[in-house]
Amino acid sequence: MTEVAKIENGTEIVDDLISCIVNNRDYLSEIDGAIGDGDHGINMAKGFNICKHRIDGKNLSLSEAFEILSDSLMEGIGGSMGPLYGSIFAGWAEAIQGKNTLNSNEFKEMLSKGLHELQEISSAKQGDKCLVDTLMPAIEGFKKANESGKTFHEALIVMKQAAHDGKESTRNLVAKIGRASRLGERSKGILDAGATSCCLLLTQLADSISKRIS
């Protein structure tokens, strides 16, 4: 029997993502401070808190909650991160519109749609020392696990490990985009803040979806 995640309570799932970012605000800003502006955690928490106020007390589908999160991030975060994350969540929202359950194939399509929307507005690629270094390996890991016959649960575990490995890979990369790119070789040896927040979000999403699978 195909495993299916029940996602009718989208407010609860997005609340998990909000808590994840807000709880890691200082950690993300500390990482960003090493080679960036030092405000990644502050800005992310601001955008996610805007979403918190908008979804509180509402019974939303996951698609609706993702859409509100997308709008909140685009409006609430300065610089590039608002549009980048906003486009990912907008893609996810569109991919699962009208759905109250998700199987592993639908989850794979959701991830892919988010990446597609991101690539519509950004030329960032793997190896640039950015969130794509987490996102692309995580999606690829899930796809391969899914296609090899692993269960939904197992594929989510693979995705989390791939996200972690992708995030860690940014330590040894030279930044090619963003403020850190001006540091050249001096940007090596430090985690990228965007890759780190992306890993936190994908890990929390996997955990939230996993506990709803039956």
Side-chain angles (χ1 to χ4, degrees):
M1 196 170 95
T2 304
E3 288 184 327
V4 171
K6 296 175 182 175
I7 57 164
E8 66 271 10
N9 193 338
T11 304
E12 200 173 79
I13 295 170
V14 169
D15 258 336
D16 288 345
L17 299 180
I18 293 167
S19 295
C20 174
I21 290 300
V22 171
N23 292 339
N24 284 282
R25 182 190 64 184
D26 294 344
Y27 171 59
L28 291 171
S29 285
E30 183 183 339
I31 292 172
D32 191 38
I35 55 174
D37 293 327
D39 59 0
H40 182 60
I42 294 166
N43 286 337
M44 288 286 283
K46 179 186 173 188
F48 276 76
N49 271 323
I50 289 171
C51 179
K52 174 74 174 170
H53 293 308
R54 292 178 177 178
I55 69 173
D56 250 2
K58 294 180 179 173
N59 186 17
L60 302 168
S61 70
L62 186 54
S63 176
E64 290 168 334
F66 276 157
E67 194 169 344
I68 292 171
L69 179 55
S70 171
D71 290 343
S72 299
L73 297 179
M74 288 190 182
E75 295 165 19
I77 300 181
S80 63
M81 278 300 164
L84 293 177
Y85 273 120
S87 64
I88 293 170
F89 286 111
W92 289 1
E94 187 179 338
I96 61 171
Q97 199 165 13
K99 296 184 187 296
N100 285 320
T101 62
L102 277 184
N103 61 35
S104 55
N105 282 326
E106 290 166 334
F107 187 79
K108 178 184 71 174
E109 288 163 12
M110 183 193 93
L111 293 175
S112 297
K113 180 63 174 171
L115 177 61
H116 173 77
E117 292 302 310
L118 173 66
Q119 290 174 331
E120 287 288 299
I121 66 162
S122 172
S123 60
K125 57 188 184 297
Q126 215 170 329
D128 284 350
K129 197 177 178 98
C130 62
L131 69 86
V132 173
D133 289 298
T134 294
L135 185 62
M136 288 188 78
I139 295 173
E140 193 57 34
F142 186 88
K143 280 183 179 177
K144 284 182 178 175
N146 183 53
E147 288 162 8
S148 70
K150 289 191 183 293
T151 66
F152 199 170
H153 269 297
E154 291 168 341
L156 287 169
I157 292 169
V158 171
M159 183 184 90
K160 289 200 295 182
Q161 185 60 52
H164 172 78
D165 294 345
K167 173 200 73 175
E168 288 297 322
S169 77
T170 64
R171 284 189 196 276
N172 298 316
L173 295 174
V174 174
K176 294 178 182 159
I177 58 174
R179 185 182 174 191
S181 63
R182 289 178 278 175
L183 297 174
E185 287 290 326
R186 285 179 295 153
S187 65
K188 282 184 80 170
I190 309 287
L191 280 175
D192 178 70
T196 304
S197 61
C198 188
C199 182
L200 287 168
L201 287 166
L202 288 173
T203 299
Q204 181 58 64
L205 179 66
D207 289 343
S208 296
I209 295 295
S210 189
K211 70 183 183 183
R212 290 171 171 82
I213 294 174
S214 58

